[in-house]
Each structure stands twice: as C-alpha cells, then as structure tokens.
Amino acid sequence: MDKINVDHMLAIEEPFIKAPLEQLKRTVRQSQRQVERETAQVSAVLKTLVKGGDGVAAEDMAETLDGLVGRLKALRDKLDEAKQEEALLIQRSKQRAADLHELSEFESSTQPEFQRWCRARLDRVLIDYMLRSGNVDTAQKLAATGGLEHFADSSLFSLVMSTERELCEQHSCHGALQWCAENRSALRKIQSSLEFELRLQEFIEMIRVSRTPDAIVYAKKHLTQWSDTQLPRIQRAMTLLAFSPDTRCPPYKSMFDEARWDQLALEFRSVIFQLFNLPAQPLLHLLLQTGLSALKTPACISGDSTEHNRNCPVCQIETLGRLAKDLPLSHHVHSNLVCRITGERMNEDNPPMRLPNGYVYSFNALTEMAKLGGKVKCPRTGEAFAITDAKKLFIS
C-alpha cells in the first residue's frame, strides 16, 4: 500500500517540465530571427555603399558606417541578454528534471525524503495558483523561502498580468500586439485569431472616437489581410462605420460593448497558456478535483441535505462542493460505510448499528453518545432511543 506509483504522479507534471523548454525554444527562435533581420539590413546597406563607389562622399560613408556599427553593437547587447535568459531557462529545466527524477529513487510513501518532496511539491502548486491569481509578490516570497525560484514561472505570469492590465484597465492593445508579432508563426500553427481580434478592437476604438478616415486606412492595412478566414466579420466591422457607439442594434451594440476588453484578456491568457503547454486550470484545482472525484457519491448531490455527510468535502456545497460540481461520480468496486457522526469507517471492529427509526450509525458513535444518560439521539430526526434498542447489522 505504501508503494509509490511514479507514472501516475508524473502524468500531471507535464506542464512543469515543458513550460521552460517552450520558453527556451521561443527565445532561441526570436534571437535567430533578430540576427537574420539585422544582418540582412546591414548587408543591404554595405552593398549600396560598394555600388556607389567613389560617388559616395567620405563623410556620408563614415556616417553610414558609424550607424551600422551602432546597430551591430545594439544587436550584440540584445544577444547577450538573450544568452543570459537562455542560460537561466536551461538551468531551470535541469533542476525541474532532477526534481522529478527523485521520484524514481523513493521506495515508499512513508520515507521522510518523500514527505519532504511532497511538501515542496505542494509549495510549487500553491506558487502556481498565486501566480495565476495575480499575487506575484507573494508567490515570489514563497518561492524564495523554500528555494523554489527555478520552479516558478514568474516572468511568464508577470507578462500575462501586465498585458491583461493593459487591456482591461488602459484599453490598449499595444503590448498584446507586440507579443503577437514576436510569436506570429506559433499563433499561425495553432490557428489562433488573437491578433485579428486585437486589430478589430483598435478599429472599433477609432470609430468610437469618430476617427472614421483613420479607421478606414487601418482596416485596409490590418484587417483585409485576414479576409481568407474572417471575411464575414470584416464585412460586419466595416458596416459598423454607419452606426454610432450608442446604437441598440444587437450585432453592432455587442461590438461597441466595453466587455470586449475582458474577453480579449481571457483570450490572450488562453492562447499564451496553450503555447507554453500550461493547463487552463490551476494545478491546485486539478489535484483537488482528482481527490474529490474519488469521494463523490450520489448522496453528495442529493437534494436532501440530511443525506449529506458533514465530514465529506464534496458535501460542502459552498466550498469544495462547487469545485466537484461537474465531476463524475466515483466508481467503487467495494462499498465503504462511513458513520455520519464520527466520519469513521464502519467495519467488523466498528459495526453499523440500526436505530428503530431506520437510520444507521457506528457502534463507537452510539456508545460514546450513550455515556451521557444511556440514551442516544438521532442527529437527523432528533428522536431519542435507549442504546439497547440499536440493532447490529452485518455486512455481506
């Protein structure tokens, strides 16, 4: 019973190991594209100078070369920063792989080393939850306290939070569009329309402030390139030019709705999580739901509150019960009887006892209750009976 099922534990850890690898892959690609772009532009300028030959003034040539040197130095500085980030991500990946490798070295769940590993795992699960909730400072303090800095994707979640604030509070698409430009090929692979939604929102905002000529120019430049996949929406967007922001016409009223900013923030979060192989739900929720699904029974979802067990977390409809609402019922080959008074399992050492009113409780619970006057009181109906009236039941 104490044997550790490593495969089951690793099944939910895929995002933990993949996130830094995805970040590393994208950092390397961005650096490569930046080098290719800058070197191509520098080569083009040098070719122009060579073709000009003696026709180019010495002062102009020197100024041009100085400009090229400045660009190459700036490129070098950016590559140095990228190199440091790559080294950090590589180190983070190594430490995470080593942490998961420790699982194969544990022989029993009762080992003190395994208990320490589980506590560290709980800390990083809480860190993930706090980062997703926007409590970045608290998450970083917990990571620093436990030496778990390499287990926290703080930079990634900081980017998500700052972009969401820019969208929801400042009503600006600048940061999100810049991110889309840097990850355009990846967005194309997953067929994401995030960039189109952002461009459409900028177009709508121009119409909102009566910048109609600018909106038309913007649509020709940025919206028409999506005509292959978004033509009906582009046509509807152009029709928006004929309506005012306070229109009551349903299709166009929703386009002017300020709630679109919140939808954009949610879509940005969903897309970035998809690119970096992060689950949409916090890992804390997934782990809790895994446990809750093993406890959920028909009694937990009964409309009769008297059927609920006060010691069952699924029956607590205002707390964990909400998290278990959409989960399937647990599958039990062998049923377990649990006393609703003590929460203890009823078996041969603690047999089930039936009261005259038909309700069943454990022997230990009724015996403890009978110590006060020899009577037992049914917690469901309030009826009182003598302990001798309780009949022992046998489980077959």
Side-chain angles (χ1 to χ4, degrees), residues 13 16 99 102 106 112-128 142-143 146-149 151-152 283 287:
E13 297 291 357
F16 176 65
D99 181 70
E102 287 184 24
F106 300 132
E113 295 81 3
F114 178 70
Q115 299 298 326
R116 284 195 292 270
W117 186 91
C118 288
R119 283 194 292 270
R121 185 197 196 196
L122 176 59
D123 283 344
R124 61 179 171 83
V125 168
L126 293 174
I127 289 170
D128 171 80
L142 178 57
L148 303 175
E149 291 90 342
F151 296 165
L283 187 57
L287 291 173

Side-chain angles (χ1 to χ4, degrees), residues 180-230:
C180 288
E182 295 171 354
N183 297 273
R184 186 166 287 131
S185 60
L187 293 174
R188 194 177 297 118
K189 286 181 180 179
I190 63 173
Q191 299 181 342
S192 170
S193 61
L194 175 62
E195 184 175 359
F196 171 76
E197 297 295 342
L198 294 168
R199 294 295 184 186
L200 177 60
Q201 188 62 35
E202 290 206 324
F203 172 77
I204 294 172
E205 293 307 309
M206 290 180 183
I207 298 177
R208 193 191 303 276
V209 295
S210 302
R211 291 173 52 192
T212 303
D214 293 339
I216 294 174
V217 173
Y218 187 90
K220 289 180 179 179
K221 182 178 180 180
H222 296 292
L223 296 185
T224 54
Q225 58 184 288
W226 294 85
S227 56
D228 291 342
T229 57
Q230 302 289 344

